[in-house]
Amino acid sequence: MRVVLAALVLWSAWGLALGEEVRLAPAPEGIAGDWAQPLIPLRLKATPAQAVRFDGPPLALAQWGEVTLGTAHYPFLLGVRADGQADLWVDRNRDQVISGDELVAGARAPEYVEWGSELQATPAGGEPFPYPLTVLWPAGRGYVYLLGGAPRHGELGVDGARVAFVLVDGDLDGTYGTKGDFYAVDVDRDGIIHGDPDGHERFALTEAFTVGKESYRLSQIHPGGASVTLTPTGYVSPKPPLIPGFPAPEVRFTAFPDGDPVALSDLRGNIVLVDFWATWCGPCMAELPHLRELYAAYHDAGFEIIGLSLDTSEQELRTVLDSERIPWPVAFEGRSWDNSLAQLYRVYQIPTSYLLDRDGIIRYRDLHGEELAEKLTELLAAATPEPEMAPAPIASGPPVPILEIVVPPEVSLAAGEPQVLAVKLVNTAPYDAEEVKVSVQGLPTQVELEVGTIPAFGERVAELAVAPPAESQSCSVAVVYHYCIGDSCFQIEDAVGVAFALGEPARQPSGIPVGWILIALGVGLILAVVLRGRGLFVVALLLVGVAGASLAVGILRGQATQARRIGSVLCTACVGIEEVRTEAPTLSPAEREAFAAFRGSAHLVVFHTPWCRSCPYVQALVAEVARANPRISYELVDADQDRARAEAAGVAAAGKVVVPAILVAETGRVLFGTSDLSARILAALGEIR
């Protein structure tokens, strides 16, 4: 009997550890709201990311993009015909050829064009599944919005009841359980899931949730969204609802800068505006004069404001408080989005505000201007009006970085003088990144540079003078900035790691000084003139030849030294081989006709790097060549990342890469640089048999 009881106990413990598996299926209509369809921007480009051919009608404008769902890549073409009609083609069968029958049905609205399609997501380790996706194009813009999420729905049993559960692919990558995904649970079992970014029923994958007296966490997520496993965990306090009709969470802080204690509960009996803001937030600052007017007009009638600042600079906040003459108490922690009160109220965007009645109940949120004044006077005049649901916030989730930080993972610094570290910042969103600051953290002397504003989908290279450390060490490149979407602003702090390897001090190139070589060359020329009639002309010519050869060797050695100083990636314009080409390339009618007359089949591989200034010119030129003849395909290869392929093509050798370069796959010939490139491509195509 004891053995049986022990076995039952072990079996129960094992089952408890494994948790409950919840089977999921595509969420039926009405279960999840708009919050279950994340919206993310995607930049369009003039050329496809891979070799794709378009067999469709002539287009006045062609812009390319690609959707990645698990291991499946779907190139698409957004084209505008001569009559202005915008169409979308998607390579659904992924055969690298977009045909006319792969046209996606769309509809035009006043400000955008919308296309809906169902693709096949193929997550690694999971079964393929249908993935509905909507593409929104703000007409005339160089980007689209992807609307998806493929929400999955299931039910879990708690206390004899069935509770709705929704899993969302928040980053639209076709795989569940990755960064950016989230889930929502009807924890209060009212039949409505509050899954908005600040909703009390929305959870990050690492967060636990509580239903009744039991708390659970996700212990396993099927990559294809077929199921999740829930495991009981220690009790976690439920998130307080932040919707009209519910009490506002308690707020306690010491007012900045005078130090007076403030508690929201002490303001009961007054109408209170809880205002989250920051000095770097343009819409917040624009609202301040109006708030000051309302405070002056209604403070004696029982109107209070408490400001909760998300600033990080004490001095900037102090300056604004003085210049704007703000009379209400302000909380300051200097921790930006990690502010404890912002965490409590789940603030993901600012300005965010809550208007509370005299009992501390949330009545409205995010009111501004005349609407705020109207509702304030109503609350001051009435005892307890009926709560009204405010519109959902426009943000689709917590603030996410929009700047991509591009820096080599390891940088070799020669001992001695400070050296330049180039940090490339790429804006991946249709919003300006403002007040961008870049710094290197972890060095004995902190290095910081103010970059300013990086426009939507723009990029900048920040050059920081870095003093070599005493020994090799790991550091980080940190970037601080903010961006706004409409009237909502977000501040971001992001960083990537970089290892500084200490090398030998830079040495001057050895060899014969160029000055002496020039003197020898001059002497040789003089002797050639003097000895020409004395039978020693050949000797003089030899002297001239030796001097000229020495000069050539000296120049080449100097260029080699310069190349070593530049680093492992050389662009033909960086070392004086040719001028930088940044203009938009064009093919003459004769060149276009010559390319169109090519009857063979060719595949061009364009090797480039992010640091190559002439590479965009070459990429665009090859794209023009491919448009002139559909038998010519091409692909783009980052030679710095795919070093093995670059070496196999002869673009890289001895640790050096020379770009821009074009490999003609059929013959193995490589074309370097930009000079007379159209003619050289034509000649290379003529070698194909």
Side-chain angles (χ1 to χ4, degrees):
M1 178 62 70
R2 291 181 179 178
V3 174
V4 174
L5 289 175
L8 289 174
V9 170
L10 289 174
W11 176 264
S12 300
W14 183 63
L16 188 64
L18 288 179
E20 175 187 355
E21 183 184 37
V22 180
R23 303 296 299 177
L24 303 178
E29 189 173 351
I31 290 292
D34 292 341
W35 52 265
Q37 290 188 302
L39 188 74
I40 63 173
L42 176 67
R43 186 177 185 178
L44 300 174
K45 298 184 179 180
T47 58
Q50 50 184 304
V52 182
R53 190 174 77 249
F54 176 57
D55 288 344
L59 299 174
L61 173 67
Q63 299 185 92
W64 293 84
E66 184 173 283
V67 174
T68 299
L69 298 175
T71 60
H73 301 273
Y74 294 94
F76 67 84
L77 172 64
L78 194 159
V80 180
R81 304 175 192 252
D83 60 0
Q85 177 180 334
D87 289 313
L88 183 75
W89 290 266
V90 179
D91 186 15
R92 290 192 185 92
N93 57 11
R94 293 178 284 152
D95 63 352
Q96 307 302 299
V97 178
I98 297 181
S99 56
D101 60 359
E102 292 181 304
L103 178 68
V104 180
R108 188 177 186 92
E111 297 182 355
Y112 61 88
V113 185
E114 175 181 341
W115 297 275
S117 181
E118 184 172 276
L119 304 177
Q120 194 81 354
T122 57
E127 295 296 324
F129 64 93
Y131 198 102
L133 192 70
T134 299
V135 178
L136 300 175
W137 181 48
R141 302 299 180 90
Y143 57 90
V144 295
Y145 289 101
L146 301 181
L147 182 68
R152 310 282 291 182
H153 169 259
E155 292 184 340
L156 56 142
V158 178
D159 294 336
R162 307 303 296 175
V163 178
F165 176 98
V166 175
L167 177 66
V168 179
D169 178 26
D171 49 10
L172 276 65
D173 65 352
T175 302
Y176 296 95
T178 56
K179 182 180 179 181
D181 297 350
F182 63 92
Y183 70 100
V185 184
D186 185 15
V187 295
D188 52 18
R189 291 175 278 188
D190 62 354
I192 301 174
I193 301 179
H194 297 278
D196 291 321
D198 60 355
H200 64 288
E201 295 179 322
R202 173 172 172 152
F203 304 90
L205 299 182
T206 55
E207 284 186 290
F209 67 93
T210 299
V211 179
K213 297 181 180 180
E214 301 295 332
S215 298
Y216 303 86
R217 62 178 176 84
L218 293 181
S219 57
Q220 188 173 358
I221 303 172
H222 189 276
S227 65
V228 296
T229 301
L230 301 175
T231 302
T233 188
Y235 181 78
V236 176
S237 298
K239 294 181 178 181
L242 296 169
I243 54 180
F246 286 84
E250 173 67 312
V251 170
R252 291 182 179 273
F253 62 91
T254 300
F256 176 85
D258 52 28
D260 293 336
V262 178
L264 180 60
S265 56
D266 292 341
L267 300 178
R268 294 285 170 81
N270 297 284
I271 306 301
V272 181
L273 180 70
V274 180
D275 182 37
F276 291 89
W277 69 293
T279 60
W280 48 261
C281 168
C284 302
M285 296 299 294
E287 186 74 7
L288 272 181
H290 183 63
L291 292 182
R292 196 168 54 242
E293 291 176 4
L294 291 178
Y295 188 84
Y298 298 107
H299 177 61
D300 292 341
F303 176 48
E304 297 285 352
I305 300 177
I306 56 175
L308 307 175
S309 169
L310 271 64
D311 282 286
T312 56
S313 171
E314 178 178 326
Q315 183 57 47
E316 290 182 10
L317 178 59
R318 188 186 301 270
T319 300
V320 170
L321 293 181
D322 292 340
S323 63
E324 295 291 334
R325 305 184 307 280
I326 296 178
W328 54 83
V330 173
F332 171 72
E333 295 182 5
R335 299 168 57 194
S336 187
W337 300 103
D338 292 330
N339 181 300
S340 62
L341 299 176
Q343 295 281 317
L344 175 65
Y345 275 76
R346 301 189 291 278
V347 174
Y348 301 129
Q349 62 185 37
I350 55 175
T352 290
S353 62
Y354 296 88
L355 189 60
L356 317 182
D357 66 16
R358 299 183 189 276
D359 295 322
I361 304 299
I362 298 173
R363 294 302 169 187
Y364 307 98
R365 61 163 295 167
D366 296 336
L367 300 180
H368 307 287
E370 293 304 318
E371 189 177 14
L372 173 59
E374 177 186 345
K375 298 302 182 183
L376 171 60
T377 54
E378 289 180 4
L379 288 177
L380 288 170
T384 307
E386 289 298 319
E388 294 185 16
M389 295 296 291
I394 64 171
S396 61
V400 296
I402 64 172
L403 290 185
E404 179 184 354
I405 308 171
V406 182
V407 65
E410 182 172 311
V411 176
S412 179
L413 297 177
E417 296 297 320
Q419 295 158 63
V420 173
L421 172 66
V423 179
K424 188 176 183 180
L425 303 173
V426 181
N427 191 338
T428 62
Y431 324 113
D432 292 348
E434 303 179 57
E435 297 184 5
V436 181
K437 296 180 181 179
V438 186
S439 62
V440 179
Q441 308 287 337
L443 292 174
T445 303
Q446 182 171 332
V447 182
E448 185 174 282
L449 179 67
E450 293 188 5
V451 179
T453 298
I454 300 180
F457 293 121
E459 58 184 58
R460 293 280 177 82
V461 176
E463 296 185 341
L464 295 91
V466 178
E471 57 184 13
S472 300
Q473 67 181 85
S474 297
C475 301
S476 63
V477 174
V479 179
V480 179
Y481 57 95
H482 70 267
Y483 65 95
C484 298
I485 307 176
D487 290 335
S488 301
C489 297
F490 312 87
Q491 187 167 22
I492 299 295
E493 297 179 12
D494 197 11
V496 297
V498 58
F500 290 112
L502 195 62
E504 293 295 326
R507 298 179 180 178
Q508 296 296 326
S510 59
I512 304 173
V514 175
W516 286 106
I517 296 175
L518 292 175
I519 292 173
L521 181 60
V523 171
L525 290 173
I526 294 173
L527 288 175
V529 174
V530 173
L531 301 177
R532 183 175 57 179
R534 303 184 182 182
L536 299 176
F537 183 62
V538 175
V539 176
L541 286 180
L542 286 174
L543 289 173
V544 173
V546 170
S550 300
L551 179 61
V553 170
I555 292 174
L556 290 175
R557 292 190 64 176
Q559 285 188 343
T561 301
Q562 181 186 15
R564 285 195 298 272
R565 289 177 178 175
I566 290 174
S568 63
V569 178
L570 303 181
C571 62
T572 56
C574 294
V575 292
I577 297 176
E578 59 188 359
E579 295 296 323
V580 178
R581 302 292 296 273
T582 58
E583 74 275 16
T586 57
L587 295 177
S588 67
E591 289 174 331
R592 192 174 297 277
E593 183 178 348
F595 281 116
F598 174 67
R599 297 304 177 193
S601 178
H603 183 67
L604 307 180
V605 182
V606 182
F607 289 92
H608 65 96
T609 69
W611 313 103
C612 170
R613 292 177 290 174
S614 291
C615 286
Y617 171 87
V618 174
Q619 295 171 22
L621 180 64
V622 172
E624 287 294 315
V625 170
R627 290 191 188 99
N629 191 330
R631 297 182 183 87
I632 303 173
S633 61
Y634 73 99
E635 65 177 306
L636 306 179
V637 176
D638 188 328
D640 200 21
Q641 294 184 0
D642 197 345
R643 189 61 65 92
R645 191 170 180 185
E647 290 178 352
V651 175
K656 308 294 181 184
V657 176
V658 179
V659 287
I662 303 174
L663 167 68
V664 183
E666 286 72 15
T667 63
R669 182 174 178 181
V670 179
L671 310 176
F672 292 98
T674 61
S675 300
D676 300 322
L677 188 54
S678 300
R680 288 192 289 143
I681 295 176
L682 274 172
L685 294 178
E687 298 173 357
I688 299 177
R689 296 291 184 264

